Amino acid sequence: LREPNCRSSATIAAGSHHGRPGIAHTPLDFAAPYNAPGSVSVSPPLDGYASENSGSHMPRARSSSSSWKNQPRNSISKRQKLVFYKWLLENTRFPFPSDEERLGRLAVEPMSEKQFKYWFANIRCRQFVKHRSPNGEFFFTPNAKFYESCLRLKIEISGCIPVDVRRVMRKPRRSSN
């Protein structure tokens, strides 16, 4: 049941590649994934990538000490997080602190303006849902992840958590005390 134009694997291994002599492949070369043992690579390595002999095509680690990967992660303290989440709980419809709030009430510990803005932007993106009212104004509602974070920080939530949000919240873990 072979097609008449199909060559056998013996013909391919013998050195004929669709009528071009000198290019020899084994059946394993066609079936093996790229860079698998026994495969033959025909493309040269790209600049910035490991050499063919290393067996890996992952980018090389940079030797410069100024790389962002080598710098410590500047996470905010639990106390600062507690203040931020309490403020967000009071301002869920419009979670954008003003400059006065940033410099006054929310400034528990020194924090750069950039870090402050990025933290709030990330929380809005990850833990809030953006809506548009019929008159065209935007407002936000917290999702389950926001309420989980508040509960994890032991912030008392006044009022009730919406039923649709409560349904998708994870069950709190029992502490092993």
Side-chain angles (χ1 to χ4, degrees):
L1 297 176
R2 288 188 131 170
E3 294 180 15
N5 293 338
C6 186
R7 296 174 185 224
S8 68
S9 59
T11 308
I12 294 171
S16 166
H17 181 67
H18 299 288
R20 289 183 283 171
I23 301 175
H25 290 285
T26 63
L28 180 63
D29 293 332
F30 294 109
Y34 184 71
N35 205 26
S39 67
V40 177
S41 177
V42 291
S43 61
L46 301 173
D47 288 338
Y49 286 85
S51 68
E52 291 281 324
N53 297 334
S54 69
S56 171
H57 286 280
M58 298 300 294
R60 290 183 186 150
R62 296 185 186 233
S63 60
S64 172
S65 61
S66 65
S67 172
W68 63 270
K69 291 180 182 180
N70 296 334
Q71 295 176 358
R73 186 173 171 200
N74 293 333
S75 58
I76 64 173
S77 69
K78 188 172 181 176
R79 198 170 118 209
Q80 186 78 56
K81 221 180 272 190
L82 190 67
V83 171
F84 287 171
Y85 272 101
K86 282 182 180 179
W87 185 88
L88 284 168
L89 200 56
E90 296 169 5
N91 300 284
T92 54
R93 290 195 54 89
F94 192 72
F96 293 87
S98 65
D99 289 338
E100 295 81 29
E101 288 173 319
R102 180 180 64 82
L103 296 172
R105 201 172 76 125
L106 296 176
V108 174
E109 295 171 0
M111 179 183 226
S112 71
E113 185 176 345
K114 185 177 180 180
Q115 188 179 12
F116 182 88
K117 287 181 178 182
Y118 275 104
W119 191 88
F120 273 93
N122 284 332
I123 292 299
R124 280 191 300 269
C125 179
R126 296 172 186 161
Q127 298 186 6
F128 283 84
V129 180
K130 188 176 184 179
H131 303 281
R132 186 183 291 237
S133 66
N135 64 356
E137 293 180 2
F138 288 106
F139 67 96
F140 293 80
T141 57
N143 64 17
K145 197 170 183 181
F146 174 77
Y147 288 112
E148 289 169 2
S149 298
C150 289
L151 293 173
R152 189 174 51 251
L153 290 168
K154 296 179 175 62
I155 298 173
E156 190 171 323
I157 300 171
S158 60
C160 62
I161 300 172
V163 177
D164 58 331
V165 172
R166 184 171 290 183
R167 200 175 309 128
V168 295
M169 285 177 67
R170 292 186 220 143
K171 303 279 187 241
R173 293 181 187 166
R174 294 182 185 172
S175 59
S176 57
N177 290 343

